[in-house]
């Protein structure tokens, strides 16, 4: 019984010493207007004890910025008789439209593969949720293909030295959102890790919204799809008619 009480007391004391994270973001709202070229986000904060003092221990910090998820169908092209055609395909139920990881060290030096997979601490451990039955090897190939495509579009990224920790109290990371990001709610989750164990985490959110004429068009298309389609067809016909008249005059 004494050993049991001693073990419980040790666990309580250890839990009490676990730090807390106080995160902040330079922008909680990003407005997408005509000519939008992307945005730089500064994610920063402090590592403190529950009493609000300096934690006084070495911690690694990992920041994961994830965009809104959506269903994605990925098709593989094959060359048959000299013609490229769509062959096999797969669908992912909830693939993030943006995914970026910044860490104070390479993830493999901070945690093991199991912990990295639980918290999605990098591109190799991103959970893409395929739909339906599938062959594991084929699904791994499709997942790698999707990650590669998104990485080339600068929508998936990983920086193993992107987090700077000062005096084991303050941390900061910079993550760039490209101009082709999707609108919606982005979540920034920060993890404090020591000895391969996640001891604290905190979440902040960023809203990416369209403004101005782009916002008007988005709401019009979403709320009045049929009328939006008629207007689009009408504009296309009018532009074609005007182009024909101009060429006739020339």
């Amino acid at each position: 019984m004494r050993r049991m009480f001693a073990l419980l007391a040790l666990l309580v004391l250890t839990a009490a010493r676990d730090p807390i994270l106080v995160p902040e973001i330079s922008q909680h709202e990003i407005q997408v207007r005509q000519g939008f070229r992307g945005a730089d986000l500064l994610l920063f904060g402090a590592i403190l004890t529950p009493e609000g003092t300096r934690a006084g221990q070495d911690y690694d910090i990992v920041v994961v910025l994830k965009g809104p998820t959506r269903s994605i169908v990925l098709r593989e092209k094959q060359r048959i008789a000299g013609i490229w055609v769509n062959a096999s395909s797969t669908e992912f139920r909830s693939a993030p439209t943006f995914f970026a990881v910044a860490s104070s060290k390479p993830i493999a030096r901070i945690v093991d593969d199991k912990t990295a997979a639980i918290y999605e601490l990098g591109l190799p451990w991103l959970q893409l949720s395929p739909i339906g039955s599938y062959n594991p090897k084929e699904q791994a190939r499709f997942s790698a293909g999707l990650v590669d495509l998104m990485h080339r579009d600068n929508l998936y990224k990983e920086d193993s030295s992107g987090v700077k920790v000062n005096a084991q109290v303050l941390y900061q990371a910079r993550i760039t959102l490209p101009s082709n990001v999707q609108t919606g709610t982005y979540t920034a989750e920060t993890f404090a890790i020591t000895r391969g164990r996640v001891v604290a985490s905190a979440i902040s959110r960023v809203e990416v919204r369209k403004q101005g004429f782009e916002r008007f068009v988005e709401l019009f298309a979403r709320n009045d799809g049929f009328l939006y389609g008629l207007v689009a067809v009408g504009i296309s016909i009018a532009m074609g008619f005007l182009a024909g008249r101009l060429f006739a005059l020339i």
Side-chain angles (χ1 to χ4, degrees), residues 9-36:
L10 179 61
L11 291 174
V12 171
L13 289 175
T14 301
R17 287 195 298 269
D18 284 346
I20 59 174
L21 292 170
V22 184
E24 189 53 84
I25 302 181
S26 57
Q27 295 176 258
H28 285 280
E29 180 176 296
I30 297 174
Q31 297 183 355
V32 178
R33 298 178 180 272
Q34 185 176 5
F36 176 71

Side-chain angles (χ1 to χ4, degrees), residues 77-80 82-86:
K77 289 184 177 293
Q78 290 184 356
R79 192 169 185 176
I80 301 177
I83 300 175
W84 288 99
V85 297
N86 291 329

Side-chain angles (χ1 to χ4, degrees), residues 123-144:
L123 296 179
W125 301 281
L126 180 60
Q127 308 298 318
L128 293 173
S129 303
I131 296 177
S133 59
Y134 58 89
N135 181 289
K137 291 184 178 180
E138 182 178 352
Q139 191 58 46
R141 181 165 53 86
F142 272 104
S143 298

Side-chain angles (χ1 to χ4, degrees), residues 32-185:
V32 178
R33 298 178 180 272
Q34 185 176 5
F36 176 71
R37 296 182 179 180
D40 288 327
L41 287 178
L42 176 63
L43 302 99
F44 60 96
I47 314 166
L48 303 173
T49 66
E51 293 77 23
T53 60
R54 176 178 173 177
Q57 185 176 341
D58 290 341
Y59 294 100
D60 286 303
I61 299 296
V62 181
V63 178
V64 179
L65 180 62
K66 186 184 293 187
T69 59
R70 65 173 180 175
S71 176
I72 294 179
V73 177
L74 189 66
R75 294 181 174 86
E76 184 179 40
K77 289 184 177 293
Q78 290 184 356
R79 192 169 185 176
I80 301 177
I83 300 175
W84 288 99
V85 297
N86 291 329
S88 54
S89 64
T90 190
E91 183 177 2
F92 298 99
R93 179 184 295 108
S94 56
T97 55
F98 181 85
F99 185 81
V101 177
S103 56
S104 54
K105 295 178 185 176
I107 298 299
R109 293 173 52 190
I110 299 176
V111 294
D112 56 23
D113 289 346
K114 181 179 179 181
T115 303
I118 292 173
Y119 296 99
E120 294 185 298
L121 300 181
L123 296 179
W125 301 281
L126 180 60
Q127 308 298 318
L128 293 173
S129 303
I131 296 177
S133 59
Y134 58 89
N135 181 289
K137 291 184 178 180
E138 182 178 352
Q139 191 58 46
R141 181 165 53 86
F142 272 104
S143 298
L146 176 61
V147 170
D148 180 63
L149 287 173
M150 300 294 278
H151 178 69
R152 280 187 276 170
D153 286 340
N154 205 26
L155 293 172
Y156 284 7
K157 58 183 72 177
E158 189 172 356
D159 187 352
S160 60
S161 59
V163 177
K164 307 299 180 184
V165 182
N166 298 320
Q168 291 303 316
V169 179
L170 303 176
Y171 69 88
Q172 65 174 12
R174 289 188 180 275
I175 297 178
T176 301
L177 294 178
S179 59
N180 56 337
V181 292
Q182 297 290 318
T183 57
T185 302

Side-chain angles (χ1 to χ4, degrees), residues 158-218:
E158 189 172 356
D159 187 352
S160 60
S161 59
V163 177
K164 307 299 180 184
V165 182
N166 298 320
Q168 291 303 316
V169 179
L170 303 176
Y171 69 88
Q172 65 174 12
R174 289 188 180 275
I175 297 178
T176 301
L177 294 178
S179 59
N180 56 337
V181 292
Q182 297 290 318
T183 57
T185 302
Y186 287 64
T187 58
E189 191 164 9
T190 305
F191 301 92
I193 303 171
T194 183
R195 298 178 181 177
R197 185 173 68 95
V198 176
V199 294
S201 64
I203 296 179
S204 301
R205 289 178 172 80
V206 179
E207 293 290 337
V208 179
R209 306 177 187 274
K210 288 185 177 180
Q211 296 293 335
F213 180 72
E214 290 78 7
R215 177 67 172 171
F216 169 76
V217 173
E218 179 186 25

Side-chain angles (χ1 to χ4, degrees), residues 3-13:
R3 291 182 179 179
M4 184 178 295
F5 282 123
L7 179 60
L8 290 174
L10 179 61
L11 291 174
V12 171
L13 289 175

